[in-house]
Amino acid sequence: MAYAVGQVAKVAGVTVRTLHHYDEIGLLSPSGRTSAGYRRYDDADLQRLQLVLYYRELGFPLEEITAIIDDPAADPAAHLRRQHELLTVRLKRLQEMVTAIEFAMEASKMNIQLTPEERFEVFGDVDPEEHQAEAERRWGDTDAYRESNRRAASYTKDDWLRHKAENEDWGRRIVAVLASGVPADSPEAMELAEEHRQLISRWFYECSYEMQTGLADMYLADERFTAYYENIAPGLAAYLHEAIHANAISRA
């Protein structure tokens, strides 16, 4: 089947000008033309375009994409394997960035007294004060915010690394409970919900059950927090939300 350039542009989500450019540089030339000279693309052309867009999304320059696709030693399966490997690496990096950002947000990051080298060791390449304005706008008039800010200002690098290790250990255990299949209102899940509350109280501010359930609601309402827990394990955000509410009810 033959497709007009406008049809291909619409299906692929690119502009007609982009397809013209790909033709001009030899990256994607249509297999045919009409008697009036209009470009016509066939199924093989669309498959090649799909490869081009995959590699472009991964950040490859167009010249390198041409060399990769035209490699006579490569076949479609090899391209798929390569794209899978590259996307897996990229996904891992994005997950690490999301984790670092959400850790920085939840840790109340304002006024942390660390050198640039220590900040990098604790938080990676994420600026821990990036969300200060938003946090202050949302919670700046609360006692919890002021107490969290006061404590955070006193923590050393070792303090932050210790908090990070405790948080990661808790994360591994809540994921194991989720994977075991026990319900969110089970004793195991509620115990970890209680530990979640105690971690906040120990490191940042006295977290009541009412405040913790408010946080749990935010974990579902705010897509950034949802993404943080979903990147740890699919379904964890809703599971933790339910466990926190169940624990609060059981201890009321």
Side-chain angles (χ1 to χ4, degrees):
M1 184 173 179
Y3 306 89
V5 65
Q7 292 176 296
V8 175
K10 183 176 181 180
V11 170
V14 298
T15 65
V16 170
R17 179 174 294 183
T18 294
L19 293 175
H20 287 177
H21 178 62
Y22 288 172
D23 184 11
E24 291 166 1
I25 65 175
L27 178 58
L28 177 68
S29 297
S31 297
R33 289 181 180 268
T34 67
S35 58
Y38 294 113
R39 295 171 174 83
R40 304 294 286 179
Y41 296 83
D42 62 17
D43 290 338
D45 296 330
L46 296 186
Q47 290 176 1
R48 182 178 175 92
L49 176 59
Q50 186 177 48
L51 290 175
V52 170
L53 297 179
Y54 280 153
Y55 283 113
R56 191 185 70 176
E57 179 65 23
L58 290 167
F60 283 78
L62 296 181
E63 296 80 2
E64 191 170 345
I65 294 175
T66 302
I68 293 171
I69 294 177
D70 291 338
D71 181 359
D75 57 25
H79 283 302
L80 288 173
R81 285 192 299 270
R82 178 178 176 83
Q83 290 155 12
H84 182 271
E85 292 169 359
L86 294 170
L87 285 170
T88 299
V89 171
R90 183 176 180 183
L91 178 61
K92 182 175 183 296
R93 176 57 180 155
L94 289 173
Q95 288 175 332
E96 290 171 349
M97 290 174 66
V98 168
T99 299
I101 289 170
E102 298 299 350
F103 171 78
M105 289 177 66
E106 196 166 357
S108 247
K109 312 97 254 159
M110 292 67 71
N111 298 321
I112 297 172
Q113 302 301 311
L114 299 177
T115 67
E117 292 79 10
E118 289 171 335
R119 284 173 179 248
F120 187 83
E121 182 177 350
V122 174
F123 297 108
D125 57 1
V126 175
D127 180 4
E129 295 182 357
E130 179 181 355
H131 303 281
Q132 178 178 352
E134 179 183 359
E136 187 169 2
R137 183 177 65 254
R138 295 176 69 174
W139 303 297
D141 60 347
T142 65
D143 291 337
Y145 175 88
R146 287 187 286 270
E147 175 64 12
S148 179
N149 206 21
R150 184 190 65 78
R151 293 194 201 180
S154 70
Y155 289 156
T156 65
K157 180 192 75 171
D158 288 341
D159 292 328
W160 285 111
L161 289 174
R162 189 163 58 253
H163 168 266
K164 185 178 181 182
E166 289 184 13
N167 198 54
E168 289 174 346
D169 176 65
W170 174 87
R172 285 189 290 270
R173 287 183 286 118
I174 190 70
V175 168
V177 170
L178 170 65
S180 73
V182 300
D185 59 355
S186 67
E188 299 93 333
M190 289 194 296
E191 184 61 33
L192 284 166
E194 176 64 17
E195 187 175 332
H196 171 273
R197 187 185 70 84
Q198 292 173 2
L199 276 171
I200 296 173
S201 296
R202 183 161 64 251
W203 285 96
F204 301 113
Y205 54 86
E206 191 60 37
C207 184
S208 66
Y209 291 106
E210 182 180 2
M211 295 176 72
Q212 189 192 22
T213 55
L215 287 173
D217 292 342
M218 186 175 65
Y219 295 163
L220 295 184
D222 190 318
E223 62 184 13
R224 293 167 299 180
F225 284 97
T226 304
Y228 168 72
Y229 286 109
E230 291 301 296
N231 280 323
I232 295 175
L236 182 57
Y239 187 83
L240 179 58
H241 172 270
E242 186 176 346
I244 288 173
H245 277 270
N247 182 61
I249 293 171
S250 71
R251 295 175 186 266

